[in-house]
Structures are given as C-alpha cells and as structure tokens.
Amino acid sequence: MRHKVLQIDSRDNLLIALADMRAGEQTGEQADAQANISRELYVLVTDVPAKHKFAAKDFVVGDHVIMYGVVVGKAVVPIRRGEIITTRNVRHDASPFDAHREPHKWIAPNVSRWKQRTFQGYHRADGQVGTRNYWIVLPLVFCENRNLAVLKQAFEEELGFAAPQMFRRQVAELAKLYHDGKKDSVRESIRNYTFEKTRSPNTAPKLFPNVDGIRFLMHEGGCGGTREDANNLCGLLAGYINHPNVAGATVLSLGCQNAQISILQEQIRKRAPNNTKPVLIFEQQQSASEAAMLSDAVRETFLGLIDADIAVRAPAPLSKLTIGLKCGGSDGFSGISANPAIGYVADLLAALGGRGILSEFPELCGVEQELINRCVDENVSNRFVQLMRDYAARAKAVRSGFEMNPSPGNIRDGLVTDAMKSAGAAKKGGTSPVTAVLDYPEYSSVPGLNLQCTPGNDVECVTAQVGAGANVVLFTTGLGTPTGNPVAPVVKLSTNSALLQKMPDIIDVNTGGIISGDSTIEQMGESILEFVIDVASGSVRTKAELGLQEDFIPWKRGVSL
C-alpha cells in the first residue's frame, strides 16, 4: 500500500485511514496531488482502524464535519485532532437544498475505443435488447404462491433448469448413516461426517437451449394492503413483463384481490402501447378447478417456450445497455473505490447513449444540491426535489428519518452517519447530467443518468431497478452480500481485496486495487465495462447467477430505508 491516509476533497476536515493505525502513530506520506494525500503531519490520539476517519482539526460542539466536500455530520462533543470519528462524537447533519440549479458543465470521458463495440443480445420487437432470455411466471396475489411452486417444480425438473441437488445429496447420505446405525451410536459419525461441497453444474440436457430459464417471481403482495400498493405492484410486474430480458409471461390470478388483471393490463399498456409479447393470464376463480387452471397454464406456457427458444443473440451497440447502480453491505472504502469506479462506467455509458439508474433516495441525503445542479432542466430537478421531500416526510411521519439508514455493519466499518454514507453512495452516479427522475415503479426510457425513487434496502432496490429496465446491475459491497435478481444478472464488486479473499463465491470483480494504489478509478471503470460486455453477451455468468440467487421483493410504499 502506497499511502495509509487519504483526504478525498481539499475542503474535508476528516481523513480516512487506508490501513489500521495506532494511537501515537504519525502520518507523513509524501504528497500525492492525484490521490489528495495530505501534506500535513498528524499524530493519532486514538487507534483508527482501516476504513475509519479521524479529525484533521480540533472540533468544538456544533462544528460541521465535512467529507467529500459536503457536510456529513456535526460534532456533539469536543473532538481532538487525530481522534477517531464515531457515533459517540458525531451525529448526522446535512446541507439544505432547494430547486435552484447552479450551472453544471460536464466533460464527457473519451469513448472513442467503445463506439464500435457491441455485445451479443436478444433484440426485442420494441427496440430493447436483452442480456438474457427468460420466461417469467408471476402471481398477482400471494394466494397463488403455492400454485407457482407447483409449476416451478414441474418445469424446472423436467426441462433441465433445476438447481443441482447438492445439499439434497448430503441429506440423503446422512439419512443412510442414520438408517445403517443405531440412533445413539450414529450421532458421533454424523458430527464427524464431511460432505464434499462441490457445486457441479446441472448437466441435464435443456430442451430449449436458447431459453436461459424460467423465473418464478413469488411475493407477499396483491391484497390486504393499500390500493397504492396494489397499483405499484401491478406497475412493477408490468415492468418485468416489458423487460428486454423477458420473452413472455404467465400470470396467475385468484380473482378477488386488489391487484386486478385490468390494472396489470393498463400498466403494461403504459410501458408498451404496442406490446407483442405473449402474456398468458389464468384466473383461478374463473376456472373449473385448481388442477384445470394449472394444466392450462402448463400447456400454454410450454407453447410459449417453443416460441421463446427461436430467439438468438445478435450484435447490439452499447447504447442498448441499461445499468442499475447499487451498493449494499457498504463499508468505509465504498465511496473511494467501487462506487466511483462504477460511476465512471455510468459516465462512459452516458457518453455512448446508454442508461444508468441511480436509486436509494435515503442514501442521497446531503448530496441533493449537487444532483439538482446536474439536472438537465427544471422539470427534472423539481421532480427530484418533490420526491425527496415526500419520502423524507413519510419517514418523519412514523418517527423515523434518513439518519436511521446506516446499518450496524455500515457503522462498524466506518460509515457513522447517513450523510457520510450518502456522499460515498452518490459516487455510483458518476458526474454526467441527470436526464430523468423516475418515481417507483416507473420504467426508464430516457438515455443518460436516471434517478429512481427507491429505498436503500438491497433487494427492494434491485427489484425496482430491474423493473425499470436495468438489463445488468452493478452492485458494490464492502462487507459482502449474495443479492441477485431473477431476471437481470447482478455483478458483485468488492470495495477491498480482503473481501474477495474471504467471500470469493459471491464476488465477481475486485476494486481493491484502487485502495492499494495499483489501479486508478478510470482504469478500473474501463475493466468493469469490459466485464459487463462479457456478462451482457452471455459468455460470463455472474456469481449470483451461478448461485441461483434470485431475490425479488416489491416495495410497499411505506417507510423502508
């Protein structure tokens, strides 16, 4: 590691420890203008673990704490120069914002090397291009989840899409040990038994080789909640049906629920006025029996799969990529390695005519004015301001607030206030103009960087981003999370090299080279875009895909941070 201390912005009065440091240790690396390494000498008065921050000055009570050039908190007790920043001495605080936009000039990155590049995708009739080719089966209400499970077992096992039965085999071997011995004497044998944890791929022949799978989108909504929840659920499901990675859909309805078939159909028309995708709808209360409905669903879905298998990959420009930009299990390195690296990817795609979706509104707290200044016009900025204020008001109405967003894991690894977390999280959006603001669950249609109103919750956010059309998701993590999605590949990027070594089964790309000084943000961003092209083309499967991590949680518009 070339340096042990980093100052992100010249206005900051906090510094980041890039490695564990002890009380009494003196900082004093040579100045590095590019990395903003401080020229000043600091003597630490407390231990400062890697990823954590320490005071670059003496603070009195009420002083603003500044990082990334913005207010991220305020001192609640006196803080000495060289002292670690914690939840005991700093509380959340953020700068105010308004709809007035300051001039913003964007210098786009040089994309000459990418202009003629293509990925191999599935071209849909509406002009969208998919990175995968799925058939989806979804319920309009949780009452149909059991029937979905019946269809899932039937289709996956008989068509070669089922997961390898690794742990089923382990249970069978343990059962045999138990069967062959007496109950008491076999306990020790079972405790000492070692299962060979090899994850062998499913080698069963696929009847439909051009179909990547059938995805079953179980959820707990559709009835019993508010009409807003039902409308939003139908909008989200319509987004998945309209998604370029989806060839067609089978929909199961009970019949009496809030989320009616007519609402779903209207939401589909909003996103695809001339929809040509097959949408097969089966309503149990209008069927002769449950078995009859499921038999009809099996027959019609099978015919749909025959048509879906006709699709083949063909070259598509990078402008057809829509990238979800997400962080989860964040740490103190997220805002200086992985997040700005995928922010650079977002800038490259914006310059190429593609789209990026930056969500997690509770994690944009404190950087609102910067994003407002980047909005292309007043309509876009006004909508962002209104959605942010509405969201914050909902949180306050139930005695919560954005300041409650950081999780215990975030805090342990150096993100002690929501504004501090937000300032680093916003780096995922790069520096390009904000061209559109989406309310949940609207669909993205404008090239460039889109802001989308969602919670910070990992699965709710990714579910929403894919429902808005993201055909690949870039997901940064410092602590590790297995999050995936049923329809879009989720690329997991570690903020530090130690995480890759600890959890190699979930990490696709390591950005720790930025921390060690072996790579720049721009170099890392370019390598990530190359990886995205491979993923989008189907030549690489993400760890979440290989692990069959298919998380799907619709957001009920209550307070979720």
Side-chain angles (χ1 to χ4, degrees):
M1 181 172 292
R2 299 176 188 175
H3 303 287
K4 294 180 71 174
V5 174
L6 176 68
Q7 183 182 36
I8 296 175
D9 188 284
S10 60
R11 295 166 290 182
D12 293 357
N13 52 28
L14 296 185
L15 283 85
I16 303 173
L18 301 181
D20 291 344
M21 303 181 72
R22 296 292 184 185
E25 187 172 346
Q26 178 177 284
T27 69
E29 291 92 353
Q30 293 297 315
D32 186 327
Q34 183 176 6
N36 290 325
I37 301 301
S38 175
R39 295 174 181 269
E40 294 188 53
L41 296 179
Y42 297 89
V43 177
L44 300 185
V45 297
T46 61
D47 291 347
V48 182
K51 308 180 186 179
H52 284 258
K53 291 80 186 170
F54 64 89
K57 53 163 274 188
D58 290 328
F59 289 83
V60 299
V61 175
D63 276 355
H64 280 144
V65 176
I66 299 173
M67 189 174 167
Y68 299 97
V70 299
V71 175
V72 298
K74 64 181 177 181
V76 293
V77 297
I79 307 172
R80 295 170 293 170
R81 174 185 166 107
E83 182 178 350
I84 188 172
I85 299 300
T86 71
T87 55
R88 293 186 298 275
N89 55 28
V90 167
R91 293 288 184 272
H92 168 83
D93 196 16
S95 297
F97 63 93
D98 58 49
H100 175 73
R101 293 182 299 127
E102 296 292 335
H104 173 75
K105 184 178 180 181
W106 181 50
I107 301 176
N110 183 349
V111 293
S112 56
R113 66 174 280 197
W114 310 98
K115 282 191 174 180
Q116 303 305 316
R117 291 292 301 278
T118 61
F119 69 97
Q120 296 292 315
Y122 294 99
H123 292 250
R124 305 301 183 188
D126 60 0
Q128 296 187 99
V129 180
T131 63
R132 299 290 183 268
N133 189 34
Y134 289 118
W135 189 277
I136 60 173
V137 183
L138 53 90
L140 277 181
V141 64
F142 56 80
C143 307
E144 292 298 322
N145 279 347
R146 187 181 66 83
N147 287 331
L148 230 70
V150 171
L151 295 180
K152 178 179 173 69
Q153 181 181 27
F155 275 105
E156 288 189 342
E157 291 187 2
E158 295 302 323
L159 298 184
F161 294 121
Q165 298 297 317
M166 179 170 67
F167 294 108
R168 181 174 173 180
R169 180 162 60 87
Q170 181 182 8
V171 172
E173 292 176 8
L174 291 174
K176 186 176 185 304
L177 278 176
Y178 180 75
H179 181 270
D180 293 344
K182 293 183 179 180
K183 183 175 181 179
D184 292 333
S185 62
V186 80
R187 287 181 185 275
E188 197 60 31
S189 297
I190 289 176
R191 287 195 182 97
N192 294 329
Y193 162 85
T194 301
F195 176 65
E196 184 61 36
K197 305 182 189 68
T198 55
R199 187 193 295 272
S200 57
N202 191 336
T203 56
K206 288 173 58 177
L207 186 61
F208 301 112
N210 293 327
V211 177
D212 290 299
I214 308 175
R215 294 292 185 256
F216 297 82
L217 277 56
M218 294 185 187
H219 59 82
E220 301 302 321
C223 202
T226 66
R227 292 299 192 270
E228 180 187 42
D229 287 339
N231 288 332
N232 285 342
L233 175 64
C234 287
L236 177 74
L237 298 179
Y240 273 75
I241 291 169
N242 187 52
H243 196 280
N245 291 5
V246 172
T250 299
V251 180
L252 300 188
S253 169
L254 179 60
C256 57
Q257 71 275 352
N258 289 345
Q260 287 285 295
I261 292 171
S262 59
I263 301 175
L264 176 67
Q265 291 171 330
E266 176 58 28
Q267 292 288 348
I268 293 173
R269 282 192 290 271
K270 285 183 178 180
R271 291 156 178 78
N274 302 309
N275 177 56
T276 59
K277 284 185 185 178
V279 182
L280 314 175
I281 300 175
F282 303 91
E283 188 157 272
Q284 186 169 351
Q285 290 172 349
Q286 299 300 318
S287 301
S289 67
E290 183 176 85
M293 180 189 73
L294 291 175
S295 180
D296 290 344
V298 167
R299 183 177 61 252
E300 296 301 318
T301 300
F302 194 93
L303 292 172
L305 289 167
I306 293 174
D307 292 334
D309 195 48
I310 296 172
V312 294
R313 291 182 181 271
L318 300 188
S319 60
K320 294 296 183 179
L321 289 173
T322 300
I323 306 295
L325 305 162
K326 177 72 179 84
C327 56
S330 300
D331 69 353
F333 286 164
S334 293
I336 60 177
S337 60
N339 288 356
I342 69 171
Y344 190 69
V345 176
D347 284 348
L348 291 171
L349 283 178
L352 290 164
R355 290 198 289 274
I357 301 177
L358 178 65
S359 308
E360 305 178 273
F361 271 26
E363 297 181 21
L364 299 180
C365 178
V367 293
E368 296 97 338
Q369 195 62 54
E370 177 194 337
L371 292 168
I372 290 165
N373 294 342
R374 288 166 57 184
C375 289
V376 293
D377 58 43
E378 287 187 1
N379 290 332
V380 174
S381 61
N382 287 341
R383 193 166 201 226
F384 175 56
V385 169
Q386 189 61 53
L387 288 173
M388 281 295 290
R389 288 178 173 163
D390 286 350
Y391 201 149
R394 285 196 184 211
K396 292 297 183 185
V398 294
R399 300 178 183 177
S400 185
F402 290 169
E403 66 273 12
M404 297 182 181
N405 174 271
S407 70
N410 297 151
I411 294 168
R412 279 196 305 270
D413 270 51
L415 300 176
V416 301
T417 73
D418 181 59
M420 184 183 293
K421 182 179 180 183
S422 295
K427 297 299 180 183
K428 302 190 302 290
T431 60
S432 68
V434 174
T435 57
V437 174
L438 308 174
D439 196 4
Y440 176 82
E442 291 174 343
Y443 203 82
S444 172
S445 60
V446 179
L449 181 66
N450 292 198
L451 303 182
Q452 180 195 34
C453 184
T454 76
N457 176 287
D458 291 351
V459 179
E460 289 176 334
C461 179
V462 173
T463 298
Q465 289 183 330
V466 177
N471 51 15
V472 176
V473 176
L474 297 180
F475 191 114
T476 71
T477 182
L479 305 177
T481 167
T483 305
N485 183 266
V487 164
V490 177
V491 178
K492 217 68 58 56
L493 304 100
S494 64
T495 70
N496 60 89
S497 299
L499 177 60
L500 174 66
Q501 296 168 3
K502 181 181 179 182
M503 305 179 77
D505 54 334
I506 70 166
I507 297 300
D508 299 291
V509 177
N510 174 34
T511 69
I514 296 173
I515 302 299
S516 64
D518 296 319
S519 177
T520 67
I521 288 170
E522 292 76 15
Q523 289 169 340
M524 188 63 68
E526 290 178 352
S527 67
I528 292 168
L529 182 53
E530 290 286 357
F531 188 80
V532 167
I533 292 171
D534 289 340
V535 169
S537 299
S539 57
V540 170
R541 298 282 164 166
T542 67
K543 298 292 179 64
E545 290 179 290
L546 295 174
L548 299 176
Q549 192 78 33
E550 300 168 10
D551 304 311
F552 181 81
I553 302 179
W555 178 31
K556 290 186 175 182
R557 198 58 182 267
V559 177
S560 179
L561 300 176

